[in-house]
Amino acid sequence: MNYKIGIAIAIIFVIIAGVMVYIFVGPASVGQPTYHTMANGFMKPIKINASISGLTPAHSGSGAGKLYVQAYKQVEALSNNRNALKDLTANANPDASPEIHAIVKLIEQAAPATMSRKYLFFAKGIRLPKASDTLADRLNAIGQMTGAYAASCISDKKQKEAINALTGLLVFGHRLWQRGLFVDVRTCGLADIQSAAAGLRMLYKSGPTKNQYEYAAATKLLGAVNAASTQWYGKMKIVDVLNPQSGDMANIVRYDQDISWRIEALLELGIARWNTSYAPRAHAIAVFLKHYTADSNHWISASAKVAYSMTADTMNQLAAN
């Protein structure tokens, strides 16, 4: 009987020893999430809790997506580098520039048109998370041009033209926000909604374009987009960083309800893999990314493939950017 007890104790000891060995020398995990991503509501989609419908024109046709891509391509043709883009948006009187005028008119034409495509793309495929992104710069430029054009119209006492431009910018920004797949594209949309709402609020407050109903709608929208911006940029401070916390990124990939942040977190994990000096952690991240390369969602799997294929040379390229 005693020998049976001895055998049982020995088996328990072996099991405990095995668990301890696994904990201390076994495979490392990608890391534990911090309180940031464990906070209540963190994984829920960030929403603008106000409608733009009271400030937009009635629908009259379709093809908005095509017009937006056309506007983007015109900006691309005018700005083959970042310096050229800065020169393009520094024009104090965009109404005097035929190129800028044409781009703004495309944004205005798209406002009453419908758009059927699920996502609004301006570049093909998943891009690396660069510190300065040309696509985002160009989308920002479209917003800056349209806002500057509206300001020029106001200076020239052309309030109606200013409203048309700001309405076009509002709808464009809202579509980037709703139908942009990537975080940087949606961030541009958020900024455009904010700028357009502020401009329309000012125009509808007083003067020849005074309108109490639309002023109230613009005021409500501006408050809602400011609140959404606070949440959005707060999340960016956790996700879009130089030294991402791998446990938080993995947590977002697993549980976030917004595909934009899941894509961003996968790419950040690609960076975290090469930032860590702890080889088992790097291996665990690689295994995690490899798993998601087979995800049923095309964009998640494509993002995981880009992140998994990052190398030390990729990190050097991103650092030099």
Side-chain angles (χ1 to χ4, degrees):
M1 195 71 182
N2 286 337
Y3 80 90
K4 290 183 179 180
I5 295 173
I7 291 172
I9 292 172
I11 291 172
I12 292 171
F13 177 80
V14 169
I15 292 172
I16 293 173
V19 170
M20 296 301 291
V21 168
Y22 181 84
I23 291 173
F24 289 105
V25 300
S29 71
V30 294
Q32 294 300 312
T34 70
Y35 70 92
H36 291 298
T37 61
M38 296 293 286
N40 185 38
F42 184 89
M43 299 295 181
K44 292 182 179 179
I46 296 170
K47 296 180 179 180
I48 298 175
N49 293 315
S51 173
I52 68 168
S53 59
L55 300 165
T56 57
H59 288 156
S60 59
S62 60
K66 183 178 180 180
L67 290 169
Y68 291 142
V69 172
Q70 190 177 340
Y72 179 84
K73 287 187 178 298
Q74 289 194 22
V75 173
E76 188 176 22
L78 292 168
S79 56
N80 57 351
N81 58 60
R82 299 194 79 207
N83 289 332
L85 190 62
K86 288 178 182 178
D87 292 340
L88 186 64
T89 55
N91 192 333
N93 183 15
D95 196 19
S97 169
E99 294 86 3
I100 292 178
H101 188 91
I103 292 165
V104 172
K105 290 306 169 187
L106 286 170
I107 299 301
E108 291 179 356
Q109 290 169 31
T114 58
M115 193 175 77
S116 59
R117 61 182 70 178
K118 183 177 182 180
Y119 295 120
L120 187 55
F121 294 114
F122 301 93
K124 295 179 180 179
I126 305 296
R127 295 163 292 116
L128 290 173
K130 298 178 181 178
S132 58
D133 182 55
T134 306
L135 185 147
D137 287 345
R138 287 170 179 158
L139 288 176
N140 271 322
I142 292 174
Q144 291 168 10
M145 290 174 196
T146 309
Y149 178 86
S152 177
C153 289
I154 293 171
S155 297
D156 294 339
K157 309 298 182 184
K158 299 177 181 178
Q159 284 88 349
K160 187 61 180 175
E161 287 86 342
I163 288 174
N164 289 340
L166 290 172
T167 300
L169 179 60
L170 175 64
V171 179
F172 176 59
H174 194 254
R175 283 169 171 159
L176 290 182
W177 169 250
Q178 284 195 315
R179 300 178 184 245
L181 180 62
F182 308 115
V183 166
D184 54 357
V185 172
R186 296 184 64 199
T187 302
C188 293
L190 198 61
D192 288 342
I193 299 171
Q194 197 170 38
S195 176
L200 289 170
R201 182 178 183 274
M202 180 188 71
L203 283 166
Y204 290 133
K205 184 178 182 179
S206 60
T209 53
K210 182 177 179 179
N211 185 302
Q212 186 175 355
Y213 173 78
E214 288 171 324
Y215 171 75
T219 300
K220 183 178 180 180
L221 177 60
L222 186 59
V225 76
N226 286 343
S229 295
T230 299
Q231 289 183 278
W232 189 260
Y233 288 110
K235 198 162 184 172
M236 284 185 74
K237 289 179 180 179
I238 296 168
V239 182
D240 191 11
V241 293
L242 292 175
N243 191 20
Q245 212 288 337
S246 57
D248 279 335
M249 297 307 104
N251 203 30
I252 291 169
V253 172
R254 291 187 183 109
Y255 303 117
D256 205 291
Q257 297 173 31
D258 188 331
I259 190 173
S260 299
W261 291 109
R262 294 185 70 205
I263 288 172
E264 192 76 7
L266 280 165
L267 296 174
E268 291 293 323
L269 271 174
I271 294 173
R273 175 188 177 188
W274 291 98
N275 276 356
T276 183
S277 58
Y278 183 48
R281 176 63 48 78
H283 175 72
I285 294 172
V287 171
F288 183 92
L289 292 173
K290 183 69 174 176
H291 169 75
Y292 279 93
T293 61
D295 194 86
S296 59
N297 183 290
H298 164 73
W299 296 107
I300 295 298
S301 63
S303 302
K305 287 173 185 175
V306 169
Y308 182 76
S309 65
M310 289 182 188
T311 65
D313 286 341
T314 307
M315 297 301 103
N316 292 333
Q317 291 171 18
L318 293 179
N321 182 62

